[in-house]
Amino acid sequence: QALCVWVARAMIARAWLPLALLVPQSRGLFFELKPGKAEAECFKAQTSAFHRLVGNYEADGPAEGLTVTVLSKRRELWRSSETSGKFDIAAEGENQHQLCFESSVSNNQMVSFNFRVDKHGGHDALDPKHIEFVTKEHTDKMGDLVSSLEAKASNILEQQQFTITREAVHRDTAESTNSRVMWWTLLEVAVLVVLATFQIFYLRSYFEVKQVV
């Protein structure tokens, strides 16, 4: 089952690798690394002064083994033979750097990696005080945003509660009005019945008296 998964990943990598090479801004990639030093895969990055090269990688295959190097035009800046790792190294000013992968086993491997240029690098980038300051600033901004959202949510809840209360008052008023209208209508009907009965008896007695006379 693991071999089937690896083969599927290899097929996907073959389809995506040409596109990855055409889009240099995409640094989160994976590809199929073939055996032999002649089949080394390299990815380029352009840097300026005080920039840093940051990344990580991991190999996956039936057998794993590779050598990873970060090179400038002048020299080798970093090397690792581990099957997974990460790096954070200073770039050599305005220069073109390469991240290269060479296989040390006889089978194909899937290599996933992330490679980017940290433009806010420099000696102060790793200063704990600088990191603490940036983190505190971001936390303060997040706290202000949360407070603002909380205030807006409270306002919405208050408006909803006011709407519910107003709807309940209007419902009670409407029910009371409907009840009063119903009783008034019944009273009118009763009065009309009494008047009609009185008129009937009065007219009957009037005609009876007239016939006697």
Side-chain angles (χ1 to χ4, degrees):
Q1 183 179 1
L3 181 60
C4 293
V5 172
W6 178 83
V7 171
R9 290 181 178 177
M11 294 177 65
I12 296 173
R14 289 178 180 175
W16 274 91
L17 183 57
L19 180 61
L21 294 177
L22 290 174
V23 186
Q25 296 298 327
S26 179
R27 288 291 181 253
L29 304 172
F30 61 94
F31 67 96
E32 182 183 24
L33 180 63
K34 297 181 179 180
K37 292 186 178 181
E39 298 293 339
E41 294 285 354
C42 293
F43 299 85
K44 299 178 182 179
Q46 186 67 37
T47 63
S48 298
F50 304 111
H51 287 178
R52 298 186 69 84
L53 298 170
V54 182
N56 54 68
Y57 68 93
E58 183 176 1
D60 184 18
E64 301 167 357
L66 76 167
T67 301
V68 184
T69 55
V70 178
L71 307 169
S72 68
K73 288 185 177 180
R74 305 184 186 91
R75 62 189 179 92
E76 179 180 286
L77 302 178
W78 184 81
R79 172 182 288 266
S80 174
S81 299
E82 301 292 332
T83 56
S84 64
K86 58 183 178 179
F87 55 89
D88 183 355
I89 55 178
E92 288 194 336
E94 291 191 7
N95 200 346
Q96 187 178 79
H97 295 73
Q98 294 187 82
L99 173 64
C100 296
F101 299 88
E102 294 181 2
S103 176
S104 59
V105 294
S106 59
N107 56 271
N108 295 345
Q109 304 173 78
M110 285 297 301
V111 178
S112 59
F113 71 98
N114 181 279
F115 182 39
R116 65 182 178 87
V117 177
D118 183 4
K119 296 183 180 181
H120 302 285
H123 296 292
D124 61 339
L126 299 179
D127 187 358
K129 295 182 179 179
H130 178 76
I131 295 174
E132 182 181 355
F133 173 76
V134 173
T135 303
K136 186 177 184 301
E137 180 182 2
H138 291 173
T139 304
D140 291 342
K141 290 182 179 179
M142 185 61 66
D144 294 340
L145 178 60
V146 171
S147 299
S148 176
L149 292 175
E150 184 180 3
K152 291 181 179 179
S154 299
N155 187 23
I156 292 173
L157 290 175
E158 290 177 359
Q159 291 180 359
Q160 288 181 341
Q161 187 64 37
F162 174 74
T163 302
I164 292 172
T165 304
R166 185 174 60 180
E167 188 272 336
V169 171
H170 288 175
R171 184 177 64 252
D172 293 341
T173 303
E175 291 177 353
S176 176
T177 303
N178 292 336
S179 177
R180 292 178 181 180
V181 169
M182 181 185 66
W183 287 110
W184 179 255
T185 302
L186 292 176
L187 180 61
E188 287 181 341
V189 170
V191 171
L192 289 176
V193 169
V194 170
L195 289 176
T197 304
F198 173 76
Q199 289 177 352
I200 291 172
F201 281 102
Y202 176 78
L203 290 175
R204 178 182 295 178
S205 61
Y206 175 76
F207 285 113
E208 287 178 353
V209 171
K210 192 171 184 180
Q211 287 179 358
V212 171
V213 175

